[in-house]
Amino acid sequence: MLVIGTNGKGSTCAFAVSAVAATGVQVGSMPSPHLQELRERIRVDGVPVTRAEYAAAFAEVWQAIEQHGLPVLAQGIYTATAAVHFRRAGVRLAVAEAGIGGSRAAAAELGLDVKVVTGIGLDHTRLLGGSLSQITRAKVAAAQDGDHVVLGRLAPEAATAADQVLKERTGLSVWRMDHEIHYTARAAGRGDDGGTTTLVDVFTPRAVHRDLPCPLSGAHQHHNLALAVAAMDSMAERGHIQEPYAERLRARLAATRWPGRLELVAHARLNDWTGRVLLDGATNPQGVATVAPEILRHARADGNSGPPVLVFAAMDDKDVSGMLAPLPDHWPLVLTRTDAPHAANCTTLHHRLSPDRRGPCLTAQNTLTALHQAAELTGPGGLIIVFGSHRLVGETRTALALPPV
């Protein structure tokens, strides 16, 4: 299964791994990007490989590169290393997350015949094109003759472009959200973080799945869960897996975790500061807008006298003002730079802020310094919200002594 899209790929993959593993088979996965360590990009049944396993698979790939004089491309190396480990471990089914593109993603070369498109938005426009139509074509072009394609909700312009690409293929089967796939969600109590726990019913052409728990926060995760379950049904339709028992499917979905996506560290500590840290890897305006209701909920539940403090970093091609727009502009903001090669520096980020922004703005040379500045601003027991870059989320998890998961 290859998962493509602008937002929601990682969460959909996490749900899909849980759903496929519920059938009793081992499933490998290849999330992208990693947060803290490269080995997070290779997982079996959702668990990252060990450092030794990663090193052994990488050594085999590097030997082949040197022996045949192959070009060195990072995404290709990541994908090849995962494929080598899966072969070594006897893993026969994989859930892979496409990188920035779709047809040009290294994972598209793995021959996975179920393609899932989570949604399309304006991001990476310098590489994929400046319109929804161009970006959609670049991503959906990963679909090959004979594939089964699962389409999430798309804006009309994106849906039209997707249909145009798919009409060029032969032997496809296509399931679309709100057409062949439907879901309903209902509240079922309160979770540990104060949010509403939800049960989701998913309807596909193959089966009806009722009372599926959705442990990841935010209404957008109901859509991601439904896509993942539809993809599982697609794999069963093709004979790749058996139907899971309903209770086993519910249990595996209930245990799904995806770090760095509305991840609340309720008892965070930085030296002598203790408080709460909310992490989210939203990397574009539509991603921030999607998670903003949950961020605002956590802010309301904070109980601290002052507002939460934002810690923000982004790559140098991002719409900074658009990413900050969904959140209150009076909240204090700390801008920083991660160690990513194409991360924007603080001066660039500051120049891209809206001129109407009202809240105080500080800059910090690195993530750790930014977190300490935010802790001083929010005070003991306050809330720090970290977002804008997956690398920033990863560096924050490391600073908080959280292990890769």
Side-chain angles (χ1 to χ4, degrees):
M1 177 193 311
L2 180 65
V3 181
I4 305 157
T6 303
N7 295 309
K9 298 188 297 293
S11 300
T12 300
C13 284
F15 281 130
V17 168
S18 295
V20 174
T23 67
V25 301
Q26 268 196 326
V27 55
S29 58
M30 302 163 54
S32 173
H34 63 282
L35 295 180
Q36 293 167 269
E37 294 186 22
L38 283 169
R39 64 189 181 92
E40 297 169 38
R41 291 175 177 263
I42 308 175
R43 299 168 183 255
V44 177
D45 291 346
V47 179
V49 298
T50 66
R51 292 174 181 172
E53 289 171 330
Y54 187 94
F58 175 82
E60 184 174 331
V61 172
W62 194 254
Q63 182 180 21
I65 289 172
E66 290 187 322
Q67 181 178 348
H68 299 287
L70 301 174
V72 177
L73 298 172
Q75 291 296 325
I77 291 177
Y78 298 149
T79 301
T81 302
V84 166
H85 177 76
F86 295 154
R87 172 178 55 76
R88 287 167 168 248
V91 174
R92 301 180 63 85
L93 289 176
V95 175
E97 181 177 348
I100 291 173
S103 59
R104 293 185 291 173
E109 301 300 321
L110 295 175
L112 306 175
D113 64 353
V114 173
K115 305 294 195 307
V116 181
V117 180
T118 58
I120 306 292
L122 289 173
D123 199 10
H124 301 294
T125 53
R126 288 193 301 193
L127 295 172
L128 303 178
S131 69
L132 279 181
S133 293
Q134 290 174 307
I135 294 171
T136 301
R137 291 190 183 96
K139 290 180 178 289
V140 178
Q144 300 298 307
D145 294 347
D147 280 352
H148 184 102
V149 180
V150 177
L151 291 178
R153 289 196 182 113
L154 302 177
E157 180 182 347
T160 298
D163 286 342
Q164 290 171 347
V165 173
L166 296 178
K167 285 177 181 177
E168 298 170 359
R169 307 293 189 262
T170 61
L172 287 181
S173 51
V174 182
W175 293 352
R176 295 172 172 83
M177 186 64 69
D178 302 323
H179 294 271
E180 293 81 8
I181 309 164
H182 298 271
Y183 71 90
T184 59
R186 62 189 180 280
R190 289 284 177 183
D192 294 338
D193 67 350
T196 302
T197 60
T198 307
L199 295 178
V200 181
D201 296 337
V202 179
F203 308 86
T204 77
R206 184 177 177 85
V208 175
H209 305 276
R210 297 191 181 276
D211 300 328
L212 302 179
C214 184
L216 302 186
S217 298
H220 59 290
Q221 296 293 5
H222 310 157
H223 176 267
N224 294 337
L225 185 149
L227 281 178
V229 171
M232 176 199 71
D233 278 356
S234 301
M235 295 180 74
E237 188 89 356
R238 298 204 149 211
H240 297 322
I241 57 175
Q242 301 295 316
E243 293 282 356
Y245 291 110
E247 287 304 316
R248 185 173 174 84
L249 176 60
R250 294 187 188 106
R252 291 302 299 244
L253 289 173
T256 303
R257 298 293 181 269
W258 196 231
R261 282 71 171 182
L262 289 173
E263 177 185 11
L264 178 66
V265 185
H267 304 287
R269 179 179 293 276
L270 286 165
N271 292 347
D272 58 352
W273 178 85
T274 57
R276 299 193 303 156
V277 177
L278 182 65
L279 305 163
D280 194 83
T283 60
N284 49 54
Q286 58 267 28
V288 180
T290 297
V291 300
E294 284 296 302
I295 292 176
L296 293 171
R297 178 180 68 79
H298 282 286
R300 289 192 298 268
D302 185 25
N304 207 31
S305 58
V309 177
L310 304 173
V311 175
F312 180 86
M315 305 303 282
D316 60 11
D317 62 344
K318 296 297 183 176
D319 177 2
V320 174
S321 62
M323 293 172 70
L324 290 168
L327 300 176
D329 66 0
H330 68 277
W331 286 0
L333 172 66
V334 182
L335 302 173
T336 190
R337 188 188 192 281
T338 69
D339 65 2
H342 300 291
N345 61 45
C346 294
T347 301
T348 298
L349 294 176
H350 199 276
H351 286 162
R352 293 180 183 175
L353 294 178
S354 168
D356 299 325
R357 181 171 181 81
R358 295 180 293 154
C361 178
L362 285 70
T363 59
Q365 61 183 352
N366 56 49
T367 298
L368 185 59
T369 303
L371 291 171
H372 283 293
Q373 289 186 356
E376 186 174 345
L377 284 170
T378 192
L383 174 64
I384 299 173
I385 298 166
V386 177
F387 74 110
S389 159
H390 287 108
R391 186 67 66 90
L392 177 65
V393 169
E395 291 179 3
T396 300
R397 294 188 96 256
T398 299
L400 296 176
L402 298 175
V405 290

